[in-house]
């Protein structure tokens, strides 16, 4: 029984929660006519894979989960940032700012409400509806499509880390075919551990009609022909929204049986599977998961590495990673995590009159870890990571630098001056070739990286932040918390957004 002194109050609701109508179907068809409002939606139960039946569902998510997807999806630009890590901030701004600029939220009363739904859905805001030119709308639609596709595949359906297909796809023997510039191929691919399938994924966003979806399906068909005999699923996500109406997703899919997926190049056959959804849930037992997680977080690592000391802080989270393993989505909201709340309160009590070095040792003894974080300039998004993952990213960055230095043609200094006069299309092809060379070199180094990153990851647990950052002082330890932030964490990463800068309740 709950003690009598506990107030009888309604459960908390969080201002950043939204319902996202999702229609599953086995091929592109006409846009449904407002069925995102009128259909009898099923409740989403989080199966870590495709639902047993097609139809309408209405899962609830958070703005933090959407921003997490935005920061991690798309082309890997970190090979270009080896010597200029400060520009990582700019790429992160580019990924999240269109969402803040053009998305709003409005209250909704569907004809058939789903139990537990929040009654709020995303939409375009009046700035987009009345003041935005076509080219900006196209750019916003692209970013919306990529973000919501990442959210659907990873947070909803349990897919592992996605990768841009331009680097050659999942099967090394097919890389040349996947790289054929004449082929119109899909955007992304991933490996779904629970389904034991490759996924080929195409993203569309904006006012997505059947013509756009059929083009996307043709891209998936072309990719499916290349992948051929390997078992895979094709997934077409349309993130469709018009001003004044609800954002909803259509997920068109098809299953292609065949040979099982291949183990990563150079992987240890004894290495356990990375598991569904989040590589970070399996870093303790999978070296390949550790390599994948470090690659996925390199942009955030570069942003943290290059941030001025005054912008860095460390935030306490429970050291028990199992408390943040995937249950629903990728992130755990910390305001609803009683363990975090209680342990932080204990740390604040212990902080009174305690010197900082003693305090840092004390919170570790209490079972807290402190994750490094900073606000991304130009946004209200705070990103961070654990010292263990930071140490692994640091080691990976050193290896990537070595690849760039020893591989002819990867550095801008190696390009002849005449190349500066190339057309935009030729420059794009040149950059793509460089990224593919870089990735091939990274994969060749995988057997050695497995040991190096594992060693760095384990040693990072006992390292001070001042040592990892190569700075004389530790970052500020934030025990007081910021009531203006809505925080979340994964086993090894941290993400927070300002509760005062979320999409307004009425767009």
């Amino acid at each position: 029984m709950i003690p009598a002194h506990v107030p009888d109050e309604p459960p908390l609701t969080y201002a950043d929660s939204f319902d996202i109508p999702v229609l599953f179907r086995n091929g592109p068809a006409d846009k449904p006519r407002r069925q995102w409002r009128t259909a009898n939606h099923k409740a989403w139960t989080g199966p870590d894979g495709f639902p047993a039946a097609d139809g309408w569902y209405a899962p609830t998510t958070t703005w933090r989960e959407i921003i997490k997807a935005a920061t991690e999806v798309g082309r890997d630009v970190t090979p270009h940032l080896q010597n200029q890590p400060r520009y990582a901030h700019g790429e992160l701004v580019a990924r999240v700012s269109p969402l803040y600029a053009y998305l709003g939220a409005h209250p909704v009363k569907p004809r058939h409400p789903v139990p537990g739904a929040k009654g709020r859905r995303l939409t375009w805001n009046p700035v987009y509806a009345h003041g935005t030119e076509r080219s900006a709308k196209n750019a916003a639609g692209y970013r919306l499509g990529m973000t919501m596709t990442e959210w659907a595949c990873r947070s909803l359906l349990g897919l592992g880390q996605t990768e841009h297909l331009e680097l050659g796809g999942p099967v090394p023997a097919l890389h040349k075919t996947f790289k054929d510039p004449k082929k119109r191929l899909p955007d992304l691919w991933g490996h779904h551990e629970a389904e034991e399938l490759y996924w080929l994924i195409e993203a569309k966003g904006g006012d997505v009609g059947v013509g756009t979806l059929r083009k996307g399906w043709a891209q998936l068909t072309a990719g499916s022909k290349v992948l051929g005999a390997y078992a895979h699923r094709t997934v077409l996500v349309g993130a469709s929204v018009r001003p004044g109406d609800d954002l909803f997703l259509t997920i068109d899919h098809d299953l292609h049986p065949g040979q099982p997926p291949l183990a990563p190049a150079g992987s240890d056959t004894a290495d356990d599977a990375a598991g569904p959804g989040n590589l970070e849930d399996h870093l303790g037992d999978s070296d390949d998961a550790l390599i994948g997680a470090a690659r996925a977080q390199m942009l955030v690592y570069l942003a943290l590495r290059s941030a001025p000391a005054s912008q860095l802080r460390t935030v306490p989270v429970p050291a028990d990673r199992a408390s943040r393993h995937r249950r629903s989505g990728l992130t755990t909201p910390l305001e609803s995590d009683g363990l975090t709340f209680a342990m932080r309160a204990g740390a604040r009590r212990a902080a009174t009159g305690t010197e900082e070095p003693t305090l840092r040792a004390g919170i570790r003894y209490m079972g807290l870890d402190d994750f490094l974080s900073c606000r991304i300039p130009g946004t209200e998004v705070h990103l961070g990571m654990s010292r263990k993952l930071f140490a692994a990213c640091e080691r990976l960055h050193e290896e990537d630098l070595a690849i760039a230095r020893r591989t002819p043609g990867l550095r801008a200094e190696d390009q002849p001056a005449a190349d500066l006069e190339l057309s935009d299309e030729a420059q794009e092809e040149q950059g793509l070739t460089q990224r593919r060379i870089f990735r091939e070199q990274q994969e060749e180094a995988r057997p050695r990286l497995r040991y190096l990153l594992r060693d760095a990851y384990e040693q990072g647990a006992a390292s001070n932040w001042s040592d990892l950052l190569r700075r004389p002082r530790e970052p500020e330890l934030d025990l007081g918390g910021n009531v203006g932030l809505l925080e979340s964490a994964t086993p090894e990463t941290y993400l927070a957004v300002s509760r005062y800068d979320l999409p307004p309740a009425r767009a």
Side-chain angles (χ1 to χ4, degrees):
M1 182 180 295
I2 298 175
H5 69 273
V6 176
D8 184 18
E9 295 178 343
L12 291 175
T13 58
Y14 304 113
D16 73 333
S17 295
F18 311 95
D19 307 316
I20 309 288
V22 181
L23 172 61
F24 289 88
R25 54 193 187 179
N26 60 6
D30 291 340
K31 180 185 291 187
R33 294 184 177 273
R34 291 187 63 78
Q35 292 175 11
W36 53 90
R37 287 278 182 93
T38 61
N40 191 355
H41 291 58
K42 304 180 187 73
W44 185 258
T45 57
D48 272 343
F50 267 78
D54 284 347
W56 281 100
Y57 295 82
T60 296
T61 191
T62 65
W63 186 245
R64 283 164 282 184
E65 198 80 10
I66 291 170
I67 294 300
K68 176 76 169 172
T71 61
E72 295 185 4
V73 68
R75 172 180 289 171
D76 180 12
V77 302
T78 57
H80 301 290
L81 303 177
Q82 299 302 315
N83 297 313
Q84 291 83 21
R86 285 189 178 90
Y87 287 100
H89 295 93
E91 177 64 19
L92 289 165
V93 171
R95 294 185 179 194
V96 304
S97 59
L99 307 179
Y100 274 98
Y102 296 128
L103 282 179
H106 57 188
V108 168
K109 289 185 178 180
R111 185 176 298 175
H112 303 282
V114 174
K118 300 299 180 182
R120 299 174 76 243
R121 294 181 182 176
L122 293 170
T123 186
W124 291 130
N125 65 22
V127 175
Y128 177 96
H130 303 292
T132 304
E133 61 181 346
R134 181 182 300 176
S135 57
K137 288 182 177 180
N138 290 339
Y142 166 78
R143 182 49 57 188
L144 178 70
M146 292 293 283
T147 297
M148 297 312 298
T149 296
E150 180 83 353
W151 170 80
C153 291
R154 300 200 62 219
S155 295
L156 207 61
L157 300 174
L159 184 68
Q161 195 71 41
T162 61
E163 296 190 42
H164 218 285
L165 195 60
E166 68 177 16
L167 296 181
V171 180
L174 302 175
H175 277 190
K176 289 185 179 180
T177 310
F178 272 118
K179 295 173 186 176
D180 186 347
K182 297 179 182 178
K183 293 183 181 294
R184 291 275 297 160
L185 298 175
D187 293 314
L188 306 167
W189 72 273
H191 182 202
H192 200 293
E193 292 285 346
E195 288 198 334
E196 297 184 340
L197 294 172
Y198 294 125
W199 281 19
L200 296 178
I201 308 155
E202 175 61 20
K204 300 296 183 185
D207 187 4
V208 181
V210 67
T212 300
L213 292 177
R214 284 174 177 163
K215 290 178 182 177
W217 198 254
Q219 291 171 252
L220 285 166
T221 300
S224 184
K225 288 179 179 177
V226 174
L227 198 51
Y230 291 94
H232 62 280
R233 186 186 286 278
T234 49
V235 181
L236 172 62
V237 181
S240 188
V241 60
R242 290 180 177 179
D245 223 327
D246 309 343
L247 168 67
F248 70 94
L249 304 187
T250 54
I251 300 183
D252 302 320
H253 58 96
D254 197 7
L255 192 61
H256 304 264
Q259 300 175 22
L262 303 176
S267 65
D268 185 345
T269 54
D271 195 24
D272 292 336
N278 193 358
L279 295 174
E280 296 169 37
D281 292 346
H282 304 272
L283 300 192
D285 52 27
S286 172
D287 293 336
D288 289 314
L290 178 56
I291 293 173
R295 287 208 200 287
Q297 297 303 320
M298 281 299 290
L299 198 60
V300 177
Y301 161 79
L302 293 174
L304 292 169
R305 159 62 69 198
S306 61
S310 61
Q311 295 179 8
L312 294 173
R313 66 187 183 110
T314 61
V315 291
V317 295
D320 178 15
R321 268 64 177 165
S323 68
R324 299 187 298 281
H325 280 183
R326 176 186 172 91
R327 292 183 294 275
S328 176
L330 297 180
T331 62
T332 299
L334 295 186
E335 74 273 10
S336 60
D337 183 30
L339 177 63
T340 299
F341 181 84
M343 296 183 78
R344 284 181 171 181
R348 285 193 293 271
R349 290 192 296 269
T352 305
T354 304
E355 296 289 335
E356 185 164 303
T358 304
L359 177 59
R360 286 183 182 274
I363 68 168
R364 287 202 191 186
Y365 180 78
M366 295 169 61
L368 284 167
D369 197 357
D370 56 327
F371 281 22
L372 183 70
S373 77
C374 75
R375 181 179 67 83
I376 303 305
T379 76
E380 291 301 323
V381 177
H382 299 244
L383 298 175
M385 66 178 65
S386 72
R387 67 188 74 230
K388 295 171 73 174
L389 184 56
F390 188 95
C393 288
E394 174 83 358
R395 194 70 183 90
L396 183 59
H397 179 56
E398 292 172 356
E399 292 300 308
D400 285 351
L401 275 173
I403 289 173
R405 288 168 181 154
R406 70 172 180 259
T407 306
L410 287 186
R411 302 184 309 161
E413 298 93 307
D414 297 333
Q415 303 302 318
D419 282 2
L420 299 177
E421 303 301 321
L422 290 175
S423 67
D424 290 345
E425 184 175 341
Q427 288 185 44
E428 174 69 15
E429 184 63 29
Q430 184 183 76
L432 176 58
T433 299
Q434 291 171 341
R435 288 191 296 277
R436 286 171 174 168
I437 293 172
F438 200 94
R439 177 51 62 89
E440 289 167 0
Q441 295 287 315
Q442 288 177 322
E443 287 305 305
E444 286 182 11
R446 179 180 287 269
R448 188 164 50 87
L449 288 177
R450 299 175 86 250
Y451 167 77
L452 293 174
L453 266 64
R454 175 61 57 188
D455 183 63
Y457 179 77
E458 299 298 343
Q459 301 232 4
S463 301
N464 294 322
W465 278 116
S466 57
D467 296 330
L468 291 171
L469 292 166
R470 303 190 188 101
R471 295 178 180 178
R473 298 185 59 185
E474 291 279 293
E476 176 188 355
L477 175 61
D478 183 6
L479 288 178
N482 186 335
V483 295
L485 289 182
L486 289 165
E487 301 175 282
S488 63
T490 68
E492 304 292 342
T493 69
Y494 172 86
L495 183 148
V497 298
S498 169
R499 68 170 73 235
Y500 307 120
D501 199 34
L502 294 169
R506 292 184 181 274

